[in-house]
Amino acid sequence: MSGELFLAIDVGTGSVRAALIDVAGKILELASREHDQIVPEFGWAEQRPLDWWEGARASVKTVLDRVEGARENISAICVCGQMHGLVLLDAHGALTRDTAPLWNDKRTVDLVRRFEQANEPDSYLPESGNTPTPAWPGFKLQWVRDNDPAAYARSAVAIMPKDYINYRLTGEIAMDTGDASCSFLMNPERLDWSPVMIERMGLDAAKLPPIRNPLDVVGHVTEQAALDTDLRPGTPVLVGGADYPVALLGSGACRPGIGSDSTGTGAIITVIAEKPLLDPEISNVATVEGNWAQFVLLETGGDGMRWARRAFHGNALSYDEIVARAAEAPAGCDALLFMPFLTGERLGRHRNARAQFFGLGAGHGMEHLHRSILEGIAFAMTRHIRIMEHASNRPLERVIAAGGGARTELWLKIKASAFNIPILVPREPECGIVGCAAMAATATGRFSRVDQAAERFVSYGAEILPDPRWVEIYSRTQPVFEQLYHHSQALYDDIDALAAATRPKQP
């Protein structure tokens, strides 16, 4: 074929995918190669960077084989990838550890606790832009320092998953502002490494790579990478981005006043703003277009439906059947509330939060239980939207839905009514791939700004409007949810102690 093309590579937790996209933002071909998580101990999660490279190599070859002449017509390559996975390389570019701890790895939890005990939020929020959590690579680097000192000493640089693919393609190393902003080591005002945080965490600043703009060209495909992938030598490769902000861009959530709801296993609610929100309950990531995404991740999103399916029905019902049952209950579930903390909270002082049904009466049935789970998650998301709106003094205009939750119309209507904000659903669900295409199109001069490219490439298939009757019910329910949220916190430590006391003793 003739005509300019872009190549996107997405390093996900379950697979590496490659896609060819035309200059109109249309995905022409997409191929993927799956890889496994390794769980050597409870709470740990690792993957092999070499598996990512093999997945990238194989999937790129596949899409090139499917489109005649594609190799000669790719004008730029953009890689995005899962965040927080710590990859360590020596001075020659070899891995010092065969595996990389992932975003969901919890091995650093004791390091996080010690940091929180020794430091007040006001002392680190302005320097890091974030609250401590086991996900952040800064704590993972501490863990390697303490538990694998030989690998730490041999390591010349610490990078993220997409940076490793860029290195294999070009031989060059850099990190984008998005990944760096969620390392717990970057100053959000200067967009550079924070000497204060590096010293406070006892790390070696020399091991941190240059931070560059996601649209910069990091390098060009080397002769060796060309042999490995069938790509044309010399093809420019962008710095690229962390998958979350790139997907925000590819959904059209790229200007202040726009929000995003990405519901999968968990639920991430995001507000785009000019500046980060320095609050212990809020996380912040630098976006591709130069704004900030203030976000909260609820550990229980779609996982609430998964739990209900198992606990109430022994997995005998489908998710569609569960949603159909939930639709039989009225909005507000006759004053039944669900606190959606089946696996606790990620941030704040109450990570040991518990889930609960409150207000249960003899008149409630299974349909109320199911709907209250969907509503409880919506109320928890609304709580954080209000915190972020208040801090920015800017109301949200609309929310863009992504993830599996975008396919559940009842849940979207519940959320739109709880938020009292319209929800848009993109026609193209591959938002990360579209975001990469928008970045490549801008970097090659087709657009002057990346948000202009996103506006051209993204369209929406549906707009879910708030139901006025539900809005009234939910506006009365939200304050009760807030009171229940705060009053329950006094009991979580007691529940933990009770669980420990009643747990059967091991022989």
Side-chain angles (χ1 to χ4, degrees):
M1 69 171 292
S2 62
E4 187 179 358
L5 298 173
F6 308 122
L7 174 68
I9 302 172
D10 183 351
V11 185
T13 309
S15 67
V16 177
R17 299 179 303 159
L20 288 170
I21 310 103
D22 68 17
V23 294
K26 180 182 178 183
I27 298 173
L28 303 178
E29 289 289 346
L30 188 148
S32 65
R33 171 70 69 90
E34 292 184 356
H35 47 243
D36 295 326
Q37 287 193 51
I38 304 163
V39 185
E41 296 186 28
F42 176 76
W44 292 26
E46 303 176 339
Q47 285 178 339
R48 298 180 183 88
L50 290 178
D51 289 346
W52 300 334
W53 173 241
E54 177 57 25
R57 188 195 65 78
S59 55
V60 167
K61 276 192 164 188
T62 299
V63 295
L64 292 179
D65 287 344
R66 290 176 182 172
V67 178
E68 185 178 355
R71 180 177 185 268
E72 290 73 28
N73 286 286
I74 294 172
S75 61
I77 299 169
C78 183
V79 185
C80 69
Q82 56 173 298
M83 300 180 72
H84 317 323
L86 182 68
V87 182
L88 297 173
L89 303 180
D90 67 16
H92 304 289
L95 293 162
T96 63
R97 288 173 57 85
D98 292 338
T99 58
L102 303 183
W103 58 273
N104 54 344
D105 187 286
K106 299 293 196 300
R107 74 184 69 188
T108 64
V109 65
D110 289 338
L111 289 165
V112 172
R113 288 193 184 115
R114 287 204 290 271
F115 184 92
E116 289 176 316
Q117 290 167 359
N119 299 274
E120 289 298 319
D122 288 347
S123 71
Y124 58 76
L125 283 172
E127 283 292 335
S128 69
N130 277 302
T131 294
T133 170
W136 302 149
F139 291 106
K140 293 182 171 75
L141 197 54
Q142 279 189 321
W143 187 92
V144 175
R145 178 200 65 194
D146 297 345
N147 293 273
D148 194 350
Y152 184 82
R154 291 197 313 273
S155 298
V157 68
I159 56 177
M160 298 295 101
K162 65 100 177 43
D163 304 328
Y164 181 68
I165 301 303
N166 282 343
Y167 172 71
R168 294 299 300 261
L169 287 171
T170 69
E172 302 292 339
I173 289 174
M175 189 182 297
D176 73 297
T177 49
D179 265 328
S181 67
C182 285
S183 66
F184 206 56
L185 300 172
M186 189 191 90
N187 180 290
E189 185 173 353
R190 293 186 292 105
L191 299 181
D192 201 357
W193 301 118
S194 165
V196 172
M197 294 305 299
I198 293 167
E199 180 180 1
R200 189 171 300 186
M201 298 186 73
L203 298 173
D204 181 0
K207 298 184 188 299
L208 300 177
I211 300 175
R212 296 183 60 185
N213 187 295
L215 300 184
D216 287 350
V217 173
V218 69
H220 298 80
V221 173
T222 64
E223 294 288 346
Q224 182 58 56
L227 290 173
D228 291 339
T229 61
D230 288 343
L231 288 165
R232 175 173 50 84
T235 305
V237 179
L238 307 187
V239 171
D243 59 355
Y244 173 44
V246 171
L248 288 174
L249 175 71
S251 73
C254 54
R255 68 174 177 82
I258 300 296
S260 171
D261 161 26
S262 180
T263 298
T265 300
I268 305 177
I269 190 70
T270 305
V271 172
I272 305 298
E274 290 93 345
K275 296 179 179 180
L277 174 55
L278 304 182
D279 185 288
E281 292 191 51
I282 308 297
S283 296
N284 298 280
V285 61
T287 62
V288 177
E289 76 284 351
N291 288 305
W292 284 84
Q294 306 167 356
F295 70 97
V296 176
L297 190 150
L298 293 174
E299 303 281 7
T300 300
D303 207 34
M305 294 177 67
R306 184 178 294 110
W307 170 78
R309 180 172 179 255
R310 173 181 55 80
F312 295 148
H313 307 290
N315 293 327
L317 294 186
S318 69
Y319 290 114
D320 287 343
E321 289 172 318
I322 289 174
V323 172
R325 290 293 299 275
E328 297 172 3
C333 296
D334 294 328
L336 175 64
L337 292 173
F338 177 72
M339 304 302 291
F341 306 113
L342 290 166
T343 55
E345 291 193 85
R346 173 169 288 203
L347 300 179
R349 298 183 180 276
H350 299 282
R351 292 195 178 98
N352 61 340
R354 299 292 183 109
Q356 60 177 301
F357 290 100
F358 185 81
L360 193 62
H364 290 115
M366 189 61 68
E367 65 275 16
H368 296 87
L369 295 173
H370 285 315
R371 184 173 183 128
S372 70
I373 292 173
L374 302 182
E375 291 183 343
I377 294 166
F379 292 142
M381 297 170 79
T382 301
R383 175 176 176 271
H384 288 292
I385 286 175
R386 300 296 176 249
I387 291 173
M388 292 185 277
E389 284 182 324
H390 177 74
S392 65
N393 197 29
R394 179 199 290 267
L396 273 187
E397 301 168 17
R398 63 192 63 188
V399 171
I400 298 170
R407 295 191 290 270
T408 306
E409 186 173 350
L410 173 65
W411 205 357
L412 290 174
K413 187 176 178 182
I414 287 171
K415 290 176 182 177
S417 302
F419 305 162
N420 197 17
I421 300 168
I423 295 179
L424 297 175
V425 181
R427 292 184 189 277
E428 175 53 69
E430 296 288 351
C431 296
I433 298 296
V434 174
C436 284
M439 294 166 68
T442 307
T444 54
R446 287 189 167 269
F447 298 91
S448 60
R449 298 200 319 268
V450 73
D451 55 337
Q452 293 175 339
E455 184 177 344
R456 183 74 60 84
F457 288 175
V458 179
S459 62
Y460 301 99
E463 182 177 26
I464 311 299
L465 298 175
D467 182 302
R469 186 170 55 87
W470 294 8
V471 169
E472 182 180 357
I473 294 168
Y474 293 156
S475 66
R476 293 174 179 271
T477 308
Q478 186 73 37
V480 181
F481 179 91
E482 303 275 350
Q483 292 180 59
L484 182 59
Y485 175 85
H486 289 293
H487 291 319
S488 298
Q489 293 174 349
L491 296 173
Y492 292 144
D493 291 343
D494 293 335
I495 289 291
D496 282 351
L498 182 62
T502 57
R503 188 177 298 123
K505 291 183 171 56
Q506 296 295 325

